[in-house]
Amino acid sequence: MHHVVLEQWSRGQSFLHARDARAKIPAVLGFLILVATAPAHFEPLALICFLLLIAGLAAARLPVMAALRRAGVVLPFCAAFAAISFLAGEPRRALSLLEKSYLSALAVLLLVGTTPMPQLLRGLDSLGAPRFLLMVAQFLYRYLFVISEQAQHMRMAGRCRGGLAGRRARFRAAAGALAVLFSRSYERAEKIHRSMLSRGFDGRIPVLAAAGFQALDAAFLAAWLSVCLLLRSAA
Amino acid sequence: MNPVIEARDLRFQYDDGTVALRGVDFRLYPGETVAVFGANGSGKTTFVLHLNGLLEGQGSVEVCGLPVAKQNLAKIRQKVGIVFQDSDDQLFMPTVLEDVTFGPLNLGLTPEAAFERAHRALHQVGIDEAAAKAPYHLSAGQKKRVAIAGILAMEPEILVLDEPTTFLDPPGQHALAELLRGLPQAKLLVTHDVEFAAALADRAVFFEKGRIAGEGTVAQVIERFGWSRAVIPSTG
Amino acid sequence: MHIPDGFLSTPVWAALDVAAAPAAAAMTRLAQRGFDEKRVPLLGVMGAFVFAAQMINFPVGAGTSGHLVGGALLAMSLGPAAASVVMTAILAIQALVFQDGGILALGANVFNMAIGGVLAGYLPYHLWGAGRGRRVAVFLGGFLSVLVAAVLALAELQLSGIAMPAALLGVSLGLFVVSAVLEGAITLAVFQAMETLHPDFVRQPAGNRSRTLGGLGLAAVLLAVVGVWFASASPDGLERLAENLGIAGRAKAFLPTPLAGYQAGFIQAAWLRKAAAGLTGLALIYAACALFGRWLAPSRQRSA
């Protein structure tokens, strides 16, 4: 599954992996804003951005081709709208839609591929995002795999049984499967809560303090944002 | 010697009317290992949930002389460590280290002290190297060890293990038995696994219809109640 | 429909980020009333459920199949505020981990699906969920949750100037209606299966207490209606609208960058204005989140 691959990437070791999430998040936001506010005809800039991201991927020792392919998941959706814009007589906009969304996705991939999810959430926490929401996201991410596996088993079981049934029956069987999955997820949440209470949970989930924001992190952020600003003013 | 757990005439009925416990008397002494047998629905798990106040019934439960009641819950949950059947329910934090420090931090320890305890507990269960890993990168056996480490980091006096062998293959079961044998705490093993219980338990009790129907050595209990009654679900 | 980055024009994504941040924070606060931090595992696991539910296919016919989107179902089982929090968390994870939806566009996606969609999906259930019209209400909830979210997204794209010929607009609205009907049918089927399996899972529509949420749901539906009107009236987006309304001259300085004020003469370059709009938007989001965080802190301590 994709998030397992990303998880492995994020546990690597490199200069980018070592940077504090509180530096990487604003850096990526800066880059995204650079791309988002670029004019429609920005091919040279787009190329530089692309090379910058590839350099980032290489510096992070991530598999570049795999990352490029992965960021391509945005393309089908974009291609539809690009086609619309093209047909509407705006080929420039069509091209810029593709470029902008692809570059943005690749930048996010570089962030998530070099920052383990707990650090990312902790970074968002110290940047002011609501704690409750982040905790929900943390549990969601943790149990994604567990619940998906259950769903996969159910799908398999459904296929084994329902090969010949009519559409109506299969529709109803799928609804039944989801109801069961809902109830199992609900029960699991209760068991998790029980095991939390058993270890002295009092309503507050302890958050380990993030490691210090180093001078190197500040320097990285400043350098990166200056590059973005420079590129933007050149465009 | 005073028992570390003493339950007297424990009774419990669920909201839906199911009577799960009909008067359980039980004692666990320091250092001993007791196996709890019984079919599904015989009240074993309900009984376990009373030992640290997750459920509250009629009758009494005392842990190390403290009655299980609201004002003592924090202390009791430190003393009674429950390892649940499905490790995924227990390993809810994003990394192993964060999970094992969850308990100690709740006890009010400083992060440094919690880290120290976590590393010691991980060492004790023999998986120091897993500290930075995410739970879903672990095998079932490793998950069980981490779950036990999370409990050991609370420095409990009693270990309660609910169906510890369920998701383990035979080598994993063997390794778990070795690990448990080396732990000094009093232990309660809730299990269907007679072989596993026989390898570890000093004595066994047999639950039937919300009561302890008999006790003795593992061999005696199995002989008296039979293998089939121990593992095949009964109604009620 | 998850909008990726690069699609919305700067004023649109910035404004929606600014709008969605406090709205999501308010939903979080509302959800925390009913579900304090003790219930965090429930909301997280239900989010994982919605993810996993996408693997279960519902046959539609002609070899195609659909899956549950889930906003309305969550609203009817966990309550609208909790559902909104779960959907927000889902969208954040989708944007970060699966590159499904953008980061700058997260505000827009949250606004469309986690707030507009969830509230609109809860509205019929809130109104008629207790009576004989229960089944219709459940179906309508699923239907509206998808339709409102899709129409809002479409309107935002139009606002951003992504031109769409009228014929195509009709086709896409038609497709939205089809997928909305499918979501309604799936929601109803799963809802009924849940009722049989475990009636406790399905929540009775709350009484007066959440009248505000009902009102907000109505607002979401109305907003979508305006969206449809707007999408059809303004093929060229914001600027055409401004012209049509005859306020182009005066408002041109203001409308394309609703976060104006920095448009004084000393910022000349157009891109700088846009960048400033983006940065101001982010700064506002940051401030809103930080403020809400502060505001939440005391209640968090109380619950501890």
Side-chain angles (χ1 to χ4, degrees):
Chain A
M1 279 184 88
H2 170 63
H3 69 282
V4 177
V5 177
L6 261 191
E7 175 82 28
Q8 274 160 358
W9 289 4
S10 72
R11 304 262 169 205
Q13 279 179 342
S14 76
F15 176 78
L16 283 179
H17 283 90
R19 297 285 60 76
D20 195 301
R22 285 165 292 183
K24 282 187 272 189
I25 295 167
V28 166
L29 283 180
F31 182 86
L32 292 178
I33 292 175
L34 156 71
V35 172
T37 58
H41 49 95
F42 74 125
E43 282 65 40
L45 175 62
L47 188 66
I48 293 172
C49 288
F50 184 63
L51 292 176
L52 205 58
L53 289 177
I54 292 204
L57 289 170
R61 297 190 206 130
L62 297 182
V64 176
M65 285 317 288
L68 294 182
R69 256 199 313 277
R70 177 66 219 172
V73 296
V74 294
L75 291 180
F77 180 88
C78 302
F81 279 89
I84 292 168
S85 287
F86 188 81
L87 292 175
E90 291 187 87
R92 265 203 177 143
R93 183 192 285 278
L95 191 60
S96 94
L97 279 184
L98 288 172
E99 288 164 345
K100 285 184 174 186
S101 49
Y102 185 78
L103 286 173
S104 304
L106 196 58
V108 175
L109 204 58
L110 180 57
L111 169 67
V112 183
T114 55
T115 320
M117 190 50 80
Q119 283 182 31
L120 197 59
L121 293 176
R122 225 175 284 146
L124 289 169
D125 181 44
S126 46
L127 291 173
R131 168 82 54 88
F132 184 78
L133 185 61
L134 293 175
M135 284 296 163
V136 171
Q138 179 185 308
F139 272 82
L140 193 167
Y141 186 71
R142 165 68 185 90
Y143 285 98
L144 200 53
F145 193 68
V146 178
I147 309 284
S148 300
E149 213 165 66
Q150 280 181 332
Q152 210 134 29
H153 290 163
M154 293 176 113
R155 188 165 66 164
M156 212 99 98
R159 272 196 197 143
C160 292
R161 283 191 312 255
L164 296 170
R167 195 185 337 140
R168 237 194 147 76
R170 276 187 293 142
F171 197 94
R172 210 166 285 154
L178 276 194
V180 171
L181 192 63
F182 185 99
S183 112
R184 287 198 189 154
S185 306
Y186 205 98
E187 275 164 24
R188 184 176 291 277
E190 269 174 3
K191 285 184 180 163
I192 295 164
H193 187 224
R194 205 182 263 171
S195 87
M196 291 170 83
L197 289 177
S198 293
R199 285 198 277 159
F201 179 57
D202 60 0
R204 271 202 67 134
I205 296 171
V207 177
L208 293 173
F213 189 87
Q214 297 167 347
L216 200 54
D217 295 314
F220 163 76
L221 178 59
W224 179 265
L225 287 183
S226 329
V227 169
C228 288
L229 210 60
L230 205 72
L231 285 173
R232 191 59 192 77
S233 53
Chain B
M1 198 159 46
N2 292 325
V4 283
I5 287 182
E6 182 167 20
R8 268 182 256 121
D9 196 30
L10 193 61
R11 292 162 186 278
F12 184 77
Q13 185 172 4
Y14 281 100
D15 288 340
D16 64 3
T18 318
V19 181
L21 298 178
R22 305 165 194 265
V24 172
D25 292 285
F26 177 78
R27 284 175 178 188
L28 182 72
Y29 290 95
E32 74 169 341
T33 300
V34 175
V36 178
F37 292 129
N40 294 337
S42 60
K44 292 173 300 180
T45 301
T46 309
F47 173 65
V48 163
L49 296 179
H50 278 80
L51 299 181
N52 72 354
L54 288 172
L55 290 178
E56 240 177 301
Q58 292 164 327
S60 77
V61 184
E62 285 182 10
V63 171
C64 303
L66 285 172
V68 176
K70 202 150 197 166
Q71 69 273 16
N72 296 329
L73 278 188
K75 266 186 203 153
I76 281 168
R77 286 176 179 166
Q78 181 267 316
K79 288 185 194 297
V80 181
I82 303 185
V83 181
F84 289 94
Q85 180 172 13
D86 189 343
S87 307
D88 275 327
D89 295 344
Q90 196 149 2
L91 308 180
F92 44 81
M93 294 296 272
T95 63
V96 167
L97 189 62
E98 281 171 283
D99 202 274
V100 180
T101 53
F102 180 83
L105 289 174
N106 281 331
L107 294 179
L109 266 65
T110 62
E112 292 75 30
F115 276 132
E116 214 230 281
R117 276 205 192 182
H119 284 298
R120 214 184 315 145
L122 286 170
H123 183 71
Q124 209 175 352
V125 300
I127 39 168
D128 315 60
E129 76 285 355
K133 284 193 177 168
Y136 47 75
H137 289 301
L138 305 176
S139 70
Q142 288 175 314
K143 279 185 193 169
K144 188 56 80 184
R145 281 169 186 267
V146 173
I148 293 172
I151 297 301
L152 289 178
M154 313 255 313
E155 303 192 338
E157 293 182 32
I158 302 121
L159 285 179
V160 181
L161 295 109
D162 193 3
E163 301 290 358
T165 55
T166 308
F167 297 102
L168 302 183
D169 54 9
Q173 294 176 5
H174 184 74
L176 179 65
E178 285 305 306
L179 167 63
L180 292 177
R181 211 191 308 274
L183 299 176
Q185 285 88 350
K187 290 182 270 299
L188 204 58
L189 304 176
V190 179
T191 185
H192 290 311
D193 189 335
V194 175
E195 233 174 290
F196 184 78
L200 287 170
D202 308 305
R203 64 187 173 98
V205 295
F206 188 84
F207 267 72
E208 195 167 52
K209 293 180 181 150
R211 273 195 200 93
I212 293 182
E215 58 178 297
T217 64
V218 172
Q220 284 167 343
V221 166
I222 292 302
E223 195 186 306
R224 184 171 156 205
F225 294 97
W227 167 260
S228 63
R229 274 173 81 188
V231 296
I232 292 173
S234 68
T235 49
Chain C
M1 185 157 70
H2 295 50
I3 304 175
D5 277 333
F7 271 64
L8 298 177
S9 63
T10 305
V12 174
W13 63 254
L16 285 168
D17 280 345
V18 172
M27 283 299 191
T28 306
R29 204 178 141 68
L30 267 176
Q32 260 177 313
R33 265 193 220 151
F35 296 80
D36 50 18
E37 227 169 290
K38 290 172 188 166
R39 304 305 278 169
V40 159
L42 179 64
L43 301 197
V45 174
M46 290 336 274
F49 159 78
V50 171
F51 253 100
Q54 298 177 1
M55 301 166 91
I56 306 281
N57 290 323
F58 285 77
V60 181
T64 58
S65 59
H67 63 76
L68 178 78
V69 177
L73 188 71
L74 283 182
M76 294 171 209
S77 51
L78 302 177
S84 179
V85 171
V86 175
M87 291 306 279
T88 305
I90 290 174
L91 290 169
I93 295 283
Q94 279 175 329
L96 284 171
V97 182
F98 297 91
Q99 281 71 55
D100 198 0
I103 296 293
L104 298 180
L106 186 60
N109 288 323
V110 164
F111 184 80
N112 300 345
M113 285 187 264
I115 295 172
V118 165
L119 287 177
Y122 185 65
L123 179 67
Y125 192 68
H126 178 75
L127 295 176
W128 308 297
R132 271 179 304 166
R134 191 174 170 88
R135 292 182 55 180
V136 180
V138 172
F139 172 85
L140 209 57
F143 176 84
L144 278 181
S145 69
V146 163
L147 192 66
V148 164
V151 164
L152 287 176
L154 190 64
E156 286 152 16
L157 290 175
Q158 293 276 320
L159 262 176
S160 303
I162 292 180
M164 202 182 260
L168 212 55
L169 204 64
V171 171
S172 43
L173 279 175
L175 283 175
F176 290 161
V177 170
V178 171
S179 53
V181 167
L182 182 62
E183 175 74 3
I186 295 177
T187 304
L188 179 59
V190 177
F191 185 91
Q192 286 179 319
M194 273 162 55
E195 257 185 334
T196 329
L197 193 69
H198 207 313
D200 294 355
F201 287 153
V202 178
R203 190 185 150 92
Q204 288 304 315
N208 309 336
R209 216 171 54 83
S210 58
R211 191 169 280 166
T212 21
L213 286 173
L216 284 172
L218 193 63
V221 176
L222 287 176
L223 199 58
V225 172
V226 174
V228 172
W229 167 79
F230 186 78
S232 51
S234 168
D236 289 332
L238 208 53
E239 284 164 44
R240 175 67 68 84
L241 177 75
E243 267 168 41
N244 286 350
L245 294 179
I247 51 171
R250 196 157 46 86
K252 203 151 189 170
F254 178 73
L255 252 184
T257 46
L259 304 162
Y262 44 79
Q263 283 209 316
F266 62 88
I267 302 182
Q268 290 299 334
W271 73 266
L272 250 181
R273 280 205 300 274
K274 285 186 176 174
L279 286 174
T280 316
L282 283 173
L284 282 174
I285 295 164
Y286 182 90
C289 291
L291 274 176
F292 268 98
R294 282 259 173 86
W295 188 25
L296 285 177
S299 67
R300 203 185 292 148
Q301 272 155 16
R302 265 204 308 279
S303 73

